[in-house]
Amino acid sequence: MAASKKIELIQKTYELLKETAPDDLKIRDIAKACSCTPTVVYKHFEDLDDLIRFGCVHFLEDYIRETMKIVNENMDPLEMLIIMWDEFSKCAFQNVDVYLHLFWGRYRSQLGDTIFDYYHLFPDHWQVMGGLFTSTFFNSEIKERNYTIVRRASAVGYFHHTETKLISDMQCYLMHGILMDYRNSYRQPGKAEEGQKLFMQTLRSQIQHYCIK
């Protein structure tokens, strides 16, 4: 019973986050949506941030699920890199505030642990992940996550070894910078798609510049 209430609180928080930025969401709003009191919320979560962090992780489901439908550990590493950024950016520009909090904000340091705990609360929501994807998705540092994939592309000759870290970091800075540019407008019609298109065009240009084969 306790687990079901915790799951309900996470799901309701996720729904509220679709319309409300994490910084603007109040515990009384979540409690009201779940027909309970703030005291009940605190029985299941350390504080409001703890609950909101789980609600934010809920937004990663589509990214992880769709990515794993397309990629596998045996595919061309450069193709994998582009697909993973494409799927990430689709979700990120639809939910800019959430993704900024998860990967660049105050939830970043606990992201890996939260994903792990979330995965056990919702075991049927995500497909079984292999070794590469477990190390990628459960890593709270987006630079390390991306470097894992870029390094694989470098190992088969797409990039000079000495430039691998630079290429990877530039891609992460690019994502962060464009997300920040769209933070105040992404909910407007067409803006999320515009931001995602701009990111992917710039990413492909960067890859083409550094690619050596």
Side-chain angles (χ1 to χ4, degrees), residues 14-27:
Y14 164 72
E15 293 295 332
L16 291 169
L17 285 168
K18 290 180 179 179
E19 304 295 333
T20 306
D23 289 339
D24 297 329
L25 192 57
K26 308 300 182 185
I27 195 165

Side-chain angles (χ1 to χ4, degrees), residues 14 17-18 55-63 95 98-99:
Y14 164 72
L17 285 168
K18 290 180 179 179
C56 287
V57 165
H58 201 314
F59 283 85
L60 298 182
E61 282 194 13
D62 288 342
Y63 160 57
N95 307 284
V98 166
Y99 272 69

Side-chain angles (χ1 to χ4, degrees), residues 78-213:
L78 186 60
E79 181 184 3
M80 179 189 293
L81 175 68
I82 294 171
I83 289 173
M84 291 184 75
W85 270 124
D86 189 41
E87 294 301 324
F88 184 91
S89 61
K90 285 177 186 175
C91 295
F93 282 96
Q94 292 289 339
N95 307 284
V96 172
D97 281 310
V98 166
Y99 272 69
L100 284 173
H101 274 74
L102 286 176
F103 293 98
W104 289 275
R106 66 178 184 271
Y107 299 150
R108 183 183 66 182
S109 63
Q110 296 172 284
L111 178 56
D113 290 339
T114 306
I115 292 176
F116 182 82
D117 292 339
Y118 182 97
Y119 184 79
H120 286 282
L121 277 171
F122 299 89
D124 298 329
H125 283 210
W126 298 340
Q127 302 175 27
V128 176
M129 292 181 278
L132 172 64
F133 299 110
T134 299
S135 64
T136 300
F137 292 128
F138 283 69
N139 192 326
S140 61
E141 290 293 334
I142 193 167
K143 286 184 180 180
E144 293 179 10
R145 293 155 61 99
N146 194 55
Y147 185 53
T148 299
I149 310 302
V150 176
R151 191 170 60 231
R152 286 167 60 92
S154 179
V156 297
Y158 281 112
F159 307 119
H160 288 293
H161 174 70
T162 55
E163 296 179 327
T164 303
K165 186 68 165 56
L166 173 65
I167 293 167
S168 179
D169 286 352
M170 285 174 62
Q171 292 171 0
C172 296
Y173 290 133
L174 172 65
M175 169 57 74
H176 186 208
I178 299 180
L179 283 176
M180 289 297 293
D181 281 347
Y182 281 82
R183 189 170 194 176
N184 296 322
S185 62
Y186 74 97
R187 295 185 189 275
Q188 298 173 15
K191 283 294 184 177
E193 292 79 8
E194 177 185 290
Q196 196 263 344
K197 181 179 179 180
L198 173 61
F199 170 77
M200 288 305 300
Q201 287 177 335
T202 312
L203 176 78
R204 291 179 185 277
S205 178
Q206 186 240 24
I207 289 173
Q208 183 177 13
H209 177 79
Y210 283 98
C211 195
I212 57 177
K213 79 168 188 176

